[in-house]
Amino acid sequence: MINRKLLIASTSAIYGKPYLDYLTEELDQLYNGIDNIVFIPFARPGGISYHDYSDIARKFFSKLGKKLIGIHEYDNMREMLNECEGIFTGGGNTFVLLNSLYKHKLVEPLRKCVLAGIPYLGTSAGSNILGISIQTTNDMPIVYPPSFTALGVVPFNINPHYTDSDPDSKYMGETREARIKEFLVFNNVPVTGLRDGSYFIINDTEIKLGGIHSVRIFERSTKPYELYPGSDLLFLLNKNE
Amino acid sequence: MINRKLLIASTSAIYGKPYLDYLTEELDQLYNGIDNIVFIPFARPGGISYHDYSDIARKFFSKLGKKLIGIHEYDNMREMLNECEGIFTGGGNTFVLLNSLYKHKLVEPLRKCVLAGIPYLGTSAGSNILGISIQTTNDMPIVYPPSFTALGVVPFNINPHYTDSDPDSKYMGETREARIKEFLVFNNVPVTGLRDGSYFIINDTEIKLGGIHSVRIFERSTKPYELYPGSDLLFLLNKNE
């Protein structure tokens, strides 16, 4: 029996809407009955401080009647994870996030925590680290982590902010799809291209796609294809489990 | 006295034009008097084989009357670098390229070769590795190299395929500019945002910008700014030298 209560979102905000606003209903459900949420601010979007980043998240959750505390405020972060009720890992730079988790020896404790069924919200980089590796991030490698191996609480990789290529573009760099296909040449791990506004909800062994977009699935030896809200996604969870 | 004969291009092809075509005149000059060019195909765009990638490059250079040989065709790649007349490192995935250079113990020999004044053409990933580190690549980290440290034959970093953000975009991932600014929070290395069709030509201690676009310069504690073909770029080479 696998325990998991995950909300895996591509982005923390959709265009023109306030921070986390579009996820309000889902978050009411995810964190139902929970008063205290531990926030992991390590991804530091734009290099923001842990303090300032936690304040942004705190502001939103106070509206839901939840208390949010940044994990950096604890002397013993590992112990704290053992006792926490709910977790939110915000977006930013995925390399910086994973590097900090390794530095503070939090990868394994966080993994255990998630697999013990503690409700977890990830947005962007915070979603990315739930997969097998961070090797399908869009971020720049601005720090060198000791490994690209991530939590692996889902048996696939995530590409947040997935974006379709513009057929009229004169950009000569690789498209997102080309980059993910390159990943598959070197790694045999399915990749989910999660568009902004889309999210997975995983309840133990159930998975559904939320939001209005389809998700693009990339697998070795298969043409990329789309799955829609309402589609059966269960094969994604059964891949390597 | 520093020897360097570099053509550092954002891209191998501009929109609607054949491979390397837009650089023909510059390459005639760079490789003037040289018959044999060693090609480094390690970046493997789209996972293409070394053989097939070398064929693409060979086709172009045969039109210029140059013989091109893939470095993988040599038994002793390090020795070969000591003897070569000219080098071209093609684009693809920067992590895969740098990882292969480390694997074959070619980072230091290649660096020495370039600093001995052997003419070098880099496109995209092949340009990226000339900087201090590959930490401003756009590529996905599809393999884990032993280090992000690059050749450092120029004292700045390169962001190839630099692209301005579209003010009308609803994309919620980071813009290229935001990513480079994040890099500067963690690293004090100037970054040059090189647009497709732009290239640096470096002759020993001289540097000029080729192509029709400006280059965007990112430095810590300074607002990003543009420099134009004809601008004095010498400060870039004097940064840490």
Side-chain angles (χ1 to χ4, degrees):
Chain A
M1 174 64 192
I2 293 176
N3 289 310
R4 272 176 305 210
K5 303 247 170 299
L6 306 174
L7 203 169
I8 305 176
S10 168
T11 182
S12 57
I14 53 172
Y15 185 76
K17 293 275 186 182
Y19 190 67
L20 290 176
D21 185 80
Y22 80 107
L23 291 172
T24 303
E25 268 181 52
E26 302 291 2
L27 291 176
D28 264 335
Q29 281 199 27
L30 179 74
Y31 294 129
N32 183 24
I34 286 173
D35 296 323
N36 299 295
I37 294 167
V38 169
F39 179 59
I40 301 179
F42 294 156
R44 299 183 58 190
I48 191 174
S49 73
Y50 296 160
H51 177 88
D52 290 353
Y53 196 14
S54 301
D55 273 355
I56 293 170
R58 188 176 290 118
K59 215 175 194 174
F60 171 81
F61 279 100
S62 72
K63 284 188 288 183
L64 303 192
K66 314 280 183 201
K67 192 178 163 195
L68 179 140
I69 305 178
I71 195 169
H72 61 286
E73 297 175 44
Y74 293 91
D75 282 336
N76 191 332
M77 294 191 254
R78 299 177 68 180
E79 201 169 85
M80 195 279 325
L81 278 184
N82 289 329
E83 294 163 10
C84 77
E85 296 177 277
I87 300 171
F88 167 34
T89 304
N93 185 287
T94 311
F95 295 88
V96 174
L97 169 58
L98 189 64
N99 191 52
S100 296
L101 289 176
Y102 275 113
K103 193 176 105 190
H104 296 297
K105 298 191 171 32
L106 289 174
V107 173
E108 199 46 39
L110 184 56
R111 185 171 185 275
K112 277 189 187 151
C113 196
V114 170
L115 291 178
I118 304 295
Y120 178 105
L121 163 66
T123 58
S124 192
S127 294
N128 223 313
I129 58 165
L130 295 175
I132 299 292
S133 77
I134 62 160
Q135 295 181 272
T136 51
T137 177
N138 314 303
D139 296 337
M140 280 186 182
I142 61 178
V143 299
Y144 183 71
S147 167
F148 289 159
T149 302
L151 301 188
V153 296
V154 295
F156 53 86
N157 263 15
I158 295 144
N159 177 249
H161 308 295
Y162 183 77
T163 182
D164 298 284
S165 61
D166 170 6
D168 296 328
S169 170
K170 294 182 178 171
Y171 179 70
M172 296 304 286
E174 290 85 350
T175 62
R176 189 69 60 84
E177 176 154 326
R179 293 183 190 287
I180 296 172
K181 283 178 175 170
E182 264 183 7
F183 166 81
L184 287 172
V185 173
F186 292 85
N187 305 273
N188 194 4
V189 172
V191 181
T192 56
L194 205 53
R195 295 179 176 86
D196 286 341
S198 283
Y199 48 90
F200 292 123
I201 292 180
I202 299 182
N203 264 308
D204 302 333
T205 55
E206 285 171 21
I207 177 168
K208 71 172 194 185
L209 177 65
I212 55 164
H213 304 295
S214 55
V215 62
R216 194 155 183 83
I217 309 289
F218 298 84
E219 295 173 288
R220 204 179 242 191
S221 325
T222 310
K223 262 186 76 156
Y225 58 97
E226 300 287 327
L227 287 175
Y228 297 84
S231 293
D232 184 3
L233 300 167
L234 207 57
F235 73 98
L236 276 176
L237 290 185
N238 296 329
K239 271 285 163 190
N240 300 308
E241 283 180 354
Chain B
M1 175 66 193
I2 294 175
N3 289 311
R4 272 176 306 209
K5 303 247 170 300
L6 306 174
L7 203 170
I8 306 177
S10 169
T11 181
S12 57
I14 54 172
Y15 185 76
K17 294 276 184 181
Y19 189 68
L20 291 176
D21 184 80
Y22 80 107
L23 291 173
T24 303
E25 267 180 53
E26 302 290 3
L27 292 175
D28 264 336
Q29 282 199 24
L30 179 74
Y31 295 128
N32 183 24
I34 288 174
D35 296 322
N36 299 294
I37 294 167
V38 168
F39 179 59
I40 301 179
F42 293 156
R44 299 182 59 188
I48 191 174
S49 74
Y50 296 160
H51 178 87
D52 290 353
Y53 196 15
S54 301
D55 273 356
I56 293 170
R58 188 175 292 119
K59 216 175 195 173
F60 171 80
F61 279 100
S62 72
K63 283 188 288 180
L64 303 192
K66 314 279 183 200
K67 193 177 161 197
L68 180 141
I69 305 178
I71 195 169
H72 62 286
E73 296 174 45
Y74 293 91
D75 284 336
N76 191 332
M77 293 191 256
R78 298 177 68 182
E79 200 170 87
M80 194 281 324
L81 278 184
N82 289 330
E83 295 163 10
C84 78
E85 296 178 276
I87 301 171
F88 167 32
T89 305
N93 186 288
T94 311
F95 295 89
V96 175
L97 169 58
L98 189 64
N99 191 52
S100 295
L101 289 176
Y102 275 113
K103 194 176 105 190
H104 296 298
K105 300 193 172 27
L106 290 174
V107 174
E108 200 44 40
L110 184 55
R111 186 172 183 276
K112 276 188 188 153
C113 197
V114 170
L115 291 179
I118 303 296
Y120 178 105
L121 163 67
T123 59
S124 193
S127 294
N128 222 314
I129 58 164
L130 296 176
I132 299 291
S133 76
I134 62 160
Q135 295 182 271
T136 51
T137 177
N138 313 303
D139 296 335
M140 281 185 181
I142 61 179
V143 299
Y144 182 70
S147 167
F148 290 159
T149 302
L151 302 188
V153 295
V154 294
F156 54 86
N157 262 16
I158 294 143
N159 178 249
H161 309 294
Y162 183 76
T163 182
D164 299 285
S165 59
D166 170 6
D168 297 329
S169 170
K170 293 180 179 175
Y171 179 69
M172 297 304 285
E174 290 85 349
T175 62
R176 189 68 61 84
E177 175 153 329
R179 293 184 190 286
I180 295 172
K181 283 178 175 170
E182 265 183 6
F183 166 80
L184 287 172
V185 173
F186 292 87
N187 306 273
N188 194 5
V189 172
V191 182
T192 56
L194 205 53
R195 295 179 176 86
D196 286 343
S198 284
Y199 48 91
F200 292 122
I201 291 180
I202 299 182
N203 264 308
D204 302 332
T205 53
E206 285 171 20
I207 177 168
K208 71 172 196 185
L209 176 66
I212 55 165
H213 304 294
S214 55
V215 61
R216 194 156 182 84
I217 310 289
F218 299 84
E219 295 174 288
R220 202 179 242 189
S221 325
T222 309
K223 262 187 75 158
Y225 59 98
E226 299 289 326
L227 287 176
Y228 297 83
S231 294
D232 183 3
L233 300 166
L234 207 57
F235 73 99
L236 276 175
L237 289 187
N238 296 330
K239 269 286 165 190
N240 300 306
E241 282 179 355

